[in-house]
Amino acid sequence: MLLPLACLHGRVAQCLTSLLVLAEPFPRPRRSAKARSTAPTSAEPAPAVAKMAAELYPPASASAATATDIANSNAAGAAESTKVGLCCPPCLAPVPLPPLPAPPLPDNNNPESPNWQSFHPTLRERNALMFNNELMADVHFIVGALGAARRVPAHKYVLAVGSSVFYAMFYGDLAEVKSEIHIPDVEPAAFLVLLNDEIDLEADTVLATLYAAKKYIVPALAKACVNFLETSLEAKNACVLLSQSRLFEEPELTQRCWEVIDAQAEMALRSEGFCEIDRQTLEIIVTREALNTKEAVVFEAVLNWAEAECKRQGLPVTPHNKRHVLGRALYLVRIPTMTLEEFANGAAQSDILTLEETHNIFLWYTAAKKPLLDFPLTKRKGLAPQRCHRFQSSAYRSNQWRYRGRCDSIQFAVDRRVFIAGLGLYGSSSGKAEYSVKIELKRLGMVLAQNLTKFVSDGSSNTFPVWFEHPVQVEQDTFYTASAVLDGSELSYFGQEGMTEVQCGKVAFQFQCSSDSTNGTGVQGGQIPELIFYA
C-alpha cells in the first residue's frame, strides 16, 4: 500500500537526520579523474535514502519507475537543504504525485496479454474467449475452397466436447496429429458459426452452416438452422429449401416446404429459386399430385428450368438441348390435362415437342379415336380448400343488411401456419343479384393481398366464395385483418351468434373486432362469415 506524500517527506527527513549525526560518514568510493570531470554539479542523493524511499514506494508494475523517480527527487531536495540547516518535514515543499496510469484494456486475442482470466470470471466465458483465438490454439483449420480459404485457430478440447466427430478426430484411435487440417468443402463463415458457442445465423450462410452442422454432428446447431429456415420459408425459396432438406435428410423441413409449394404452387414454380434446383428434385415436384395450379404453369416452369440448366452446362439454349437436359422430366408434365386453348397457345408453340407429339395431342383433344400418348392423362387433384365458418346462424330483415360502399372487416389469428385463399360472403336476401366486391388481407396495416372482382348471389342464405389471386401465407399467433367492400343489392343476409374461437380441423381460429369495420361487422354478427384456407 502506498503511503501519503506527507509521511514520505517525514521519513526521508528522519533518515537524513540520522545520517548527519553518524560518527563516521559513509565511505565514498574512489573516482577516477575522468569520473570526477564528468560528475554532475547538482547534489547526488544518498544511496541509503534512495533505498529507503524505494522501500516506501515498492516498484510495482507500471508505477515502479515513477515511484523511484519521486524518491530520488525528494532525497536530492533533502540533501540540498542540509547546506543551510535541517528543515522539519512540514518545511519540505510537497512534490505533486502524478496520477497512476490506468491499466491497459485486455487484449484477449493477444497471447501475451497478462491476467486475461480475471476479466472473464466464469469457465463458460473463458471457454467462449477461445473462439477464433490464437491464444493457446493447438490446431489450425484451412477452411474453404482454394483461392478463398481462411486459416482459423481452434482448440482441440473445446471442439471435442461439442462434437463427436471432432472428438474422434483428435482423441480417437485414429487421432489427427497434423497441426493444420484442410476443409475445402465448408464455407469459412459457416465454420466460424460452428465453432462459436453463441449461435448467430444469417440468411446468406444458414444452408452452408446446416451442412457444417450435419457433417460434424452438432444437433443443436442443425436444429437452429432448420428453425431459422422454417421461419424464413416462403414461395420464392420453397423449392430450393426442398432440395436442401432432402439432401440433409430433414423430414420436418421437407414437409413444411411441401405445404408452401402445394398451396402457393404458381408462385413457387415461377420463382427464380425453382430454376436452381437439381433435376431429381424437379422430377419430384412435377410428379406432385397436390400441386394447386394449372398444368400450363407447370409446363412453363419446366421450360424455364431447362433454359437455366442449359446455361449451367454451357450449352446453347435450343429446343433440342432443352429436351436433352430435361430427359424423362418432360414426360412427367400432364400436357393432355391442359385445356385445348392452353395447349394451342403454349406447349404447341414451344418447339420442344416433336411434330408427331404435337399432332397426336391435338387428336387427343378432338378425335373420337384417341392416339396413345407418352404423357400422363389424369388431372392433378390439387388441394381441397377448407372453410372456417364463424357464425352459428344467419338471418335477414327488411331494413338490414345495407352497404353503400362501407367496409365490413374482422380480425383473426391462427395457431399454426395456413394459407388464406379467399373469403366467403353473404349475398342478396331479395332474389338473384350481382355484386362488385373488393377484398383485402392486411397485417399491421400493410396490405398483403387484395382483389377487385364480382360474384353472383342466387338469393339463398348460402355463402359465396371470393378468391385472392394467390393464397396468402399466414403465420401463427399474429392477428390479420380481412375486409370486404361490397356494391350491389343493399339487402342481404348477415351472420348471427358469432364465435370468438373456432376449431377447424387441426387449426384453431380466434376472432376479434376490427377498427376498419364501418358497416357494423364484428365478432357477434355481420358479413365475412367464412375464411377459405389451405392447411
Side-chain angles (χ1 to χ4, degrees), residues 118 167 478:
S118 62
Y167 177 83
T478 301

Side-chain angles (χ1 to χ4, degrees), residues 170-211:
F170 298 128
Y171 300 102
D173 295 335
L174 301 176
E176 184 66 65
V177 295
K178 294 185 295 185
S179 60
E180 283 192 352
I181 300 174
H182 291 256
I183 308 178
D185 60 328
V186 176
E187 293 183 11
F191 192 74
L192 288 176
V193 176
L194 177 73
L195 299 187
N196 197 354
D197 186 54
E198 299 294 332
I199 299 177
D200 185 14
L201 299 174
E202 296 182 0
D204 293 341
T205 58
V206 64
L207 285 174
T209 303
L210 178 58
Y211 172 76

Side-chain angles (χ1 to χ4, degrees), residues 387-391 393-394 423-428 455-466 493-495 526-532:
R387 299 189 180 210
C388 174
H389 199 94
R390 66 188 191 93
F391 295 125
S393 64
S394 62
L423 307 179
L425 302 176
Y426 287 121
S428 171
F455 74 94
V456 176
S457 166
D458 60 6
S460 70
S461 60
N462 296 330
T463 59
F464 302 91
V466 181
Y493 288 90
F494 60 92
Q527 258 285 13
I528 316 181
E530 290 179 337
L531 297 177
I532 307 172

Side-chain angles (χ1 to χ4, degrees), residues 45-259:
V49 176
K51 180 180 179 182
M52 180 170 289
E55 291 174 353
L56 294 174
Y57 270 95
S61 66
S63 62
T66 304
T68 304
D69 292 342
I70 294 171
N72 289 341
S73 175
N74 289 341
E80 183 67 25
S81 68
T82 59
K83 297 179 181 180
V84 295
L86 181 65
C87 294
C88 63
C91 296
L92 294 174
V95 179
L97 184 65
L100 295 177
L105 294 175
D107 180 6
N108 294 326
N109 281 321
N110 184 354
E112 298 180 358
S113 296
N115 198 28
W116 57 268
Q117 295 89 341
S118 62
F119 297 100
H120 304 275
T122 68
L123 180 61
R124 178 184 179 87
E125 290 178 308
R126 291 192 288 273
N127 282 338
L129 183 68
M130 296 300 104
F131 166 66
N132 197 24
N133 196 335
E134 289 286 354
L135 182 62
M136 296 188 294
D138 52 2
V139 66
H140 288 79
F141 294 92
I142 310 301
V143 187
L146 185 63
R150 178 173 175 179
R151 191 170 188 266
V152 179
H155 306 76
K156 294 180 180 179
Y157 167 75
V158 177
L159 296 179
V161 298
S163 163
S164 59
V165 174
F166 282 128
Y167 177 83
M169 182 184 295
F170 298 128
Y171 300 102
D173 295 335
L174 301 176
E176 184 66 65
V177 295
K178 294 185 295 185
S179 60
E180 283 192 352
I181 300 174
H182 291 256
I183 308 178
D185 60 328
V186 176
E187 293 183 11
F191 192 74
L192 288 176
V193 176
L194 177 73
L195 299 187
N196 197 354
D197 186 54
E198 299 294 332
I199 299 177
D200 185 14
L201 299 174
E202 296 182 0
D204 293 341
T205 58
V206 64
L207 285 174
T209 303
L210 178 58
Y211 172 76
K214 288 285 187 176
K215 177 176 180 177
Y216 292 102
I217 312 180
V218 184
L221 179 59
K223 181 63 175 176
C225 291
V226 171
N227 291 340
F228 184 95
L229 291 171
E230 287 184 354
T231 58
S232 61
L233 179 61
E234 52 187 342
K236 67 181 181 181
N237 62 13
C239 295
V240 172
L241 293 183
L242 175 67
S243 176
Q244 298 297 323
S245 67
R246 292 178 56 254
L247 175 65
F248 297 134
E249 297 181 347
E250 287 290 342
E252 292 184 10
L253 179 58
T254 299
Q255 179 58 35
R256 298 300 293 273
C257 290
W258 279 126
E259 292 175 3

Side-chain angles (χ1 to χ4, degrees), residues 316-388:
V317 181
T318 64
H320 176 270
N321 287 336
K322 287 194 284 189
R323 280 187 70 106
H324 171 70
V325 298
L326 281 171
R328 65 181 294 270
L330 176 62
Y331 295 100
L332 300 176
V333 183
R334 307 183 184 192
I335 294 177
T337 67
M338 300 179 187
T339 65
L340 176 58
E341 183 179 4
E342 288 172 340
F343 175 73
N345 293 329
Q349 300 184 45
S350 66
D351 294 330
I352 198 171
L353 301 176
T354 66
L355 289 177
E356 182 181 1
E357 288 170 341
T358 303
H359 176 264
N360 288 340
I361 294 174
F362 269 121
L363 290 178
W364 169 266
Y365 286 114
T366 58
K369 184 179 180 181
K370 301 184 183 299
L372 294 177
L373 300 178
D374 294 325
F375 300 92
L377 305 178
T378 57
K379 192 177 182 65
R380 300 178 194 274
K381 293 180 180 179
L383 291 178
Q386 301 182 52
R387 299 189 180 210
C388 174

